[in-house]
Amino acid sequence: MRKDNQVLEGMYRLMSLTRALDQVLGKHDGHWHGLEGEEAVTAAVYYGLRDRDVVAPHYRGAVTAALAKGADMSRLMAGFLGKSTAYHKGRHRSDVCGPPELGLIGLYGGSLGPPLGYAAGAALAAKLDGRDDIALAVFGDGTSSRGDCHEAMNMAAVQTLPIIFVCQNNQIAISTPLSGGVGGSIAARADGFGMPGHTVDGNDVLAMRGAMDAAIARARAGEGPTLIEARTYRVAGHFYSDAEDYRDADEIAAWRAKDPVARYRRYLIDEGVMTEAGMDALDADLVAEVNAAFETALADPVPDASALDVADVFAAEARG
Amino acid sequence: MSRMTFQQATVAALRDEMRADRDVFLLGQDIGRFGGPLRSTAGLFDEFGADRVIDMPMSEGTIAGLAVGAAMQGKRPVVDLMFGEFLALVMQQFLDAGAMHYYSGGTQSVPMVLRVKYGIGPFHGHAYDHHSWLVGVPGVKVFAPSNPADAYAMMRAAVRDNNPVLFMEHMALYHAGKGEIDPDGAANASAGSVIVRDGSDVTLIGSALMLKRALRAARTLEADGISAEVIDLRRIYPLTLDPILASVAKTGRVVLLSEAIGRGASINDLAAILAEKAFADLSAPITRLTAPDIPTPFARELEAAYLPSEDRIADAARRLVADQA
C-alpha cells in the first residue's frame, strides 16, 4: 500500500540528511562510525515517532534518531566534537548518546546490549502509566549475540511490553562476519520468545516502513513486542579510517550497487512523488544545513577543564 | 511507634512509600505470592497486586535494566536482587545508571533502589559481601543499615532518593530481634555516619553486623578501662566524614571493620582518607580488620572464623591503646 506523500518525502529527507551528516563527520574524524548503505533502515525506523516514544538507537544511526526526535543538529555535532554547548556539555558524546529529555536512551556505559533493557524499562513505564507510547530498541547483528538481547526480548514478551526490537543487521560486527556471530536467523529467534519476527530487506525503505507500521500498531494496542531483522550492509568500514583488510572488495562493490538512497530516489521519481530536480535541491539544502551546523559547532567553546565537578555526579538528593 | 524486625521494617518502609507514591513499584524474582527471598516483600503483593509487585524471569541484568529505563521515565523502581553475589550480573546496568546524571549534563536522574541480602548469618549461604565493587562506581549510593529503625528510615530515604541506591540487608540482622520504628520520623539520608557510642580512647568504625560486634566489643573494653567510641557507617558511600574526623581527632586511634575481603575493600578508601586528612591526629597506626582474601567458606566453623569477631575487635583496640601506653 502506498504511503501518503508527506511520509514518503519525510523519509527521503531523513535519508538524505543522514548521508550528508555522515559525510561531513566522517571527513572530519576518521573514527566516525559511518552509516553508508544503512540509511533506509534508520529513516524508516525513526521517522514519525511521537514525543513520548522512547528510543534506544544503535550507535550507527543514533544521530538520525536524535534528529528525528527533534534534537538540534548543531548541538549534536558539538557532542561529537566534545564542546561545552553539546547536550551533555562535553562530558559524554551526545551524538551517539542523545538528549534524554527527548526520549533518547544513550550508550552511557559503552557496552552494547544493556540499552535494550533500558528501552524495555521505558516500555514498562508507559504500560504502568496507561500510556500508548512505545519504545524502540535498535541494535546490530553483533549485539544480537549478547545475553542482554535475549533477556530483553524474553522479558518484553513475558510482560507484553510495547516495544519494537529492530536488528540493524549489516552483516558485520567490526570485523566478525555474520556467519561468525550468528548461528541461524535473528528474526527466527522471535518465535522462541513468543513474538512476531520478520526479516525485511533493509535497503528497501518502504518494506521497512511497512514492517514498522504493523509493529507500532501492535505495540500501541498493547499486544506486545515485535522483532524486525533489517537485512542491510555496512558499505564503509567500521569507522572511516578502517583499513578493512578483513573483507572482500567485490562484496562491498556488489552492495554499493544496491544503494538504498539511489533506489528510493528511483521509486520517488517513478511514482511521481518527487522530481529529480526537487530531490537535488533538497539534498543541496541539507548539505548546506549540515555544513552550517558543523561550522557553528566547530566554533563553539570547549569545556572549561577546571570544571571537573563531582557535585553533578549525584542528582539533587530526594523527591520532596 | 511499633516494634519490628529489620525485615518487617524494610517491608513496612516499602509499603508506606508505595501507598504515598504511585510511581513506586517492585521488580524481582519470586517477590509476588512467594513473598520474596527471606520474606523481603511479605504482604505487598496482596495489597498492591501484580502491576506494582512484578515477578520477573531469571534475568538479573535485564531486571536491573528495566529499572534503569523505567526510572529514566520518572518511575521509582525497587529491584529485589535476592543476594549480593548477583551484583556481578547487574554491574553494567549500575555503572550506566550511576553515570547518567553527570553524562547527561544533569538532565537525567535515575531514582532506583537495588536491594541485596548478604552476609554470614543463619541462612548459611549467599553470604559474600561485594559492595566494595560498587563503591568504585561514580553516582551510586550505598546504604547499609544496622538496625530496624535505620532499615525503615533508610529504605524510605532510598526510595525517595533521586539517585541509584544499593540497599544492603544483612541476613544475620534480618530476623534477629525487634526495634522501635517511627513511621513519622524523617527519612534521614543525609546523616551518613553516626556516632552511636561515645568514647575517648579508640574509635571503632563499621556497618551492619560489624557495628553490632563493635558495640559489644566496646562494652567488653569498658570493663578493661578502655573507652571506645563507635561509629555506624550507615551510608558507605558517599561518606559523611565530619563525625569520623572529629572522633579520630578525639581518640587518636581507629579500628576499621569490614565483612568484605581486605583486598579492594571499601574501608581501605576510608583508611587512605584518614591518612591524608587526620595523620596529625593519629597516635597509632590505622588498623583494619577484614575478612581474609578468600571466598566465603561454607562449614559453620570456617564461616565463623572468617569474619572479625567481637574478641578480635576488642583485642585490636587493646593493642592500639597498649602500644601507646
Side-chain angles (χ1 to χ4, degrees):
Chain A
M1 192 168 57
R2 226 188 93 158
K3 304 279 164 202
D4 68 46
N5 284 5
Q6 190 189 344
V7 174
L8 295 172
E9 290 175 23
M11 290 194 300
Y12 180 76
R13 188 180 192 285
L14 210 46
M15 282 174 87
S16 177
L17 180 61
T18 300
R19 180 154 292 188
L21 202 138
D22 201 48
Q23 286 173 357
V24 167
L25 299 185
K27 202 177 294 174
H28 180 83
D29 185 342
H31 280 98
W32 173 246
H33 294 66
L35 193 69
E36 189 180 355
E38 301 173 43
E39 294 92 342
V41 180
T42 51
V45 169
Y46 300 131
Y47 179 78
L49 292 169
R50 294 187 194 165
D51 287 349
R52 290 217 62 178
D53 293 337
V54 171
V55 183
H58 187 22
Y59 62 85
R60 215 179 285 283
V63 175
T64 308
L67 289 171
K69 288 284 283 171
D72 178 84
M73 197 192 304
S74 190
R75 290 190 72 190
L76 289 176
M77 288 168 159
F80 169 72
L81 296 167
K83 296 299 185 78
S84 63
T85 49
Y87 280 102
H88 301 346
K89 302 181 182 175
R91 294 170 180 177
H92 198 46
R93 48 182 310 174
S94 60
D95 53 331
V96 296
C97 190
E101 58 270 32
L102 296 177
L104 289 149
I105 293 174
L107 207 56
Y108 286 94
S111 178
L112 303 170
L116 276 71
Y118 309 156
L124 176 63
K127 181 186 163 189
L128 291 176
D129 289 346
R131 292 181 275 122
D132 67 349
D133 303 307
I134 61 165
L136 297 186
V138 187
F139 55 99
D141 45 294
T143 304
S144 78
S145 297
R146 291 294 300 266
D148 304 81
C149 180
H150 298 244
E151 285 191 13
M153 286 188 200
N154 184 57
M155 190 77 82
V158 166
Q159 295 291 331
T160 323
L161 297 181
I163 182 169
I164 302 159
F165 297 97
V166 179
C167 179
Q168 192 170 322
N169 180 357
N170 66 14
Q171 306 188 51
I172 196 157
I174 304 185
S175 71
T176 304
L178 189 62
S179 60
V182 177
S185 157
I186 293 167
R189 290 178 188 168
D191 196 40
F193 297 122
M195 70 173 92
H198 309 289
T199 305
V200 182
D201 178 353
N203 284 34
D204 181 348
V205 69
L206 297 175
M208 278 302 302
R209 190 66 220 172
M212 284 300 296
D213 284 340
I216 289 170
R218 178 179 151 79
R220 292 209 198 282
E223 292 165 5
T226 301
L227 169 61
I228 297 171
E229 179 188 355
R231 280 275 184 157
T232 184
Y233 189 79
R234 194 192 76 206
V235 170
H238 174 56
F239 42 82
Y240 259 71
S241 56
D242 183 352
E244 289 193 79
D245 296 335
Y246 49 80
R247 67 175 172 172
D248 184 45
D250 291 345
E251 183 182 273
I252 299 170
W255 277 92
R256 209 179 272 283
K258 300 180 193 175
D259 179 46
V261 178
R263 178 175 172 176
Y264 192 39
R265 284 175 67 98
R266 279 196 301 277
Y267 172 85
L268 293 173
I269 293 166
D270 290 349
E271 293 293 312
V273 179
M274 295 176 81
T275 63
E276 184 154 24
M279 286 185 285
D280 286 346
L282 176 59
D283 292 351
D285 284 350
L286 292 174
V287 167
E289 190 184 328
V290 166
N291 282 327
F294 194 63
E295 291 303 318
T296 301
L298 275 176
D300 280 346
V302 296
D304 179 355
S306 68
L308 287 181
D309 190 356
V310 297
D312 241 12
V313 169
F314 288 109
E317 203 157 82
R319 176 178 280 197
Chain B
M1 301 284 278
S2 54
R3 290 180 63 76
M4 290 182 192
T5 63
F6 190 117
Q7 171 264 337
Q8 289 167 335
T10 53
V11 173
L14 290 170
R15 183 197 64 220
D16 291 348
E17 284 301 310
M18 291 175 84
R19 284 178 181 169
D21 186 347
R22 290 281 316 165
D23 286 330
V24 180
F25 70 102
L26 311 185
L27 296 159
Q29 293 165 54
D30 307 300
I31 61 173
R33 292 202 188 283
F34 181 74
L38 276 65
R39 309 296 293 153
S40 64
T41 57
L44 298 179
F45 182 85
D46 287 340
E47 178 169 351
F48 299 102
D51 287 344
R52 293 182 72 195
V53 184
I54 309 178
D55 269 328
M56 291 266 131
M58 197 186 291
S59 304
E60 289 83 354
T62 294
I63 295 171
L66 285 181
V68 173
M72 290 178 77
Q73 297 301 309
K75 307 296 283 184
R76 303 185 87 79
V78 178
V79 172
D80 190 319
L81 190 63
M82 288 193 165
F83 302 108
E85 277 127 324
F86 307 158
L87 279 170
L89 301 165
V90 304
M91 282 300 284
Q92 183 68 57
Q93 286 79 6
F94 240 50
L95 194 64
D96 290 1
M100 281 181 193
H101 191 261
Y102 180 79
Y103 271 167
S104 68
T107 59
Q108 182 68 61
S109 62
V110 187
M112 63 181 281
V113 179
L114 188 70
R115 303 174 67 188
V116 294
K117 261 70 68 190
Y118 77 106
I120 284 171
F123 303 100
H124 200 37
H126 300 296
Y128 220 147
D129 178 350
H130 286 305
H131 81 270
S132 298
W133 293 346
L134 278 163
V135 172
V137 178
V140 168
K141 296 186 178 180
V142 181
F143 291 9
S146 66
N147 61 75
D150 281 358
Y152 177 82
M154 291 174 71
M155 178 60 92
R156 293 200 70 169
V159 173
R160 292 181 182 204
D161 200 292
N162 286 328
N163 297 281
V165 175
L166 174 68
F167 193 93
M168 301 175 65
E169 302 173 28
H170 200 292
M171 290 192 282
L173 307 177
Y174 216 50
H175 302 294
K178 297 186 173 184
E180 288 293 338
I181 305 303
D182 180 4
D184 301 319
N188 192 351
S190 56
S193 318
V194 174
I195 295 174
V196 293
R197 186 184 197 279
D198 289 326
S200 54
D201 295 327
V202 58
T203 303
L204 310 176
I205 302 178
S207 21
L209 181 64
M210 288 298 101
L211 186 275
K212 281 189 85 162
R213 290 188 179 177
L215 281 172
R216 287 203 203 99
R219 284 193 286 273
T220 306
L221 289 165
E222 193 167 22
D224 300 348
I226 295 171
S227 167
E229 184 144 295
V230 180
I231 296 181
D232 188 352
L233 219 50
R234 308 187 321 156
R235 193 181 62 214
I236 292 173
Y237 195 83
L239 276 172
T240 306
L241 275 178
D242 288 349
I244 298 172
L245 293 173
S247 178
V248 171
K250 181 166 57 166
T251 66
R253 304 177 187 90
V254 61
V255 181
L256 302 174
L257 305 170
S258 169
E259 287 184 62
I261 66 168
R263 198 173 59 209
S266 62
I267 57 153
N268 297 351
D269 198 32
L270 180 52
I273 291 168
L274 291 175
E276 284 171 356
K277 292 185 185 289
F279 190 75
D281 292 328
L282 289 165
S283 55
I286 297 164
T287 297
R288 293 179 302 143
L289 293 181
T290 73
D293 291 348
I294 56 175
T296 312
F298 177 73
R300 289 284 185 200
E301 295 74 11
L302 294 174
E303 208 183 47
Y306 182 71
L307 293 184
S309 64
E310 193 183 315
D311 289 345
R312 281 177 60 202
I313 296 167
D315 283 348
R318 280 190 202 99
R319 273 198 307 277
L320 279 185
V321 174
D323 283 351
Q324 294 301 312

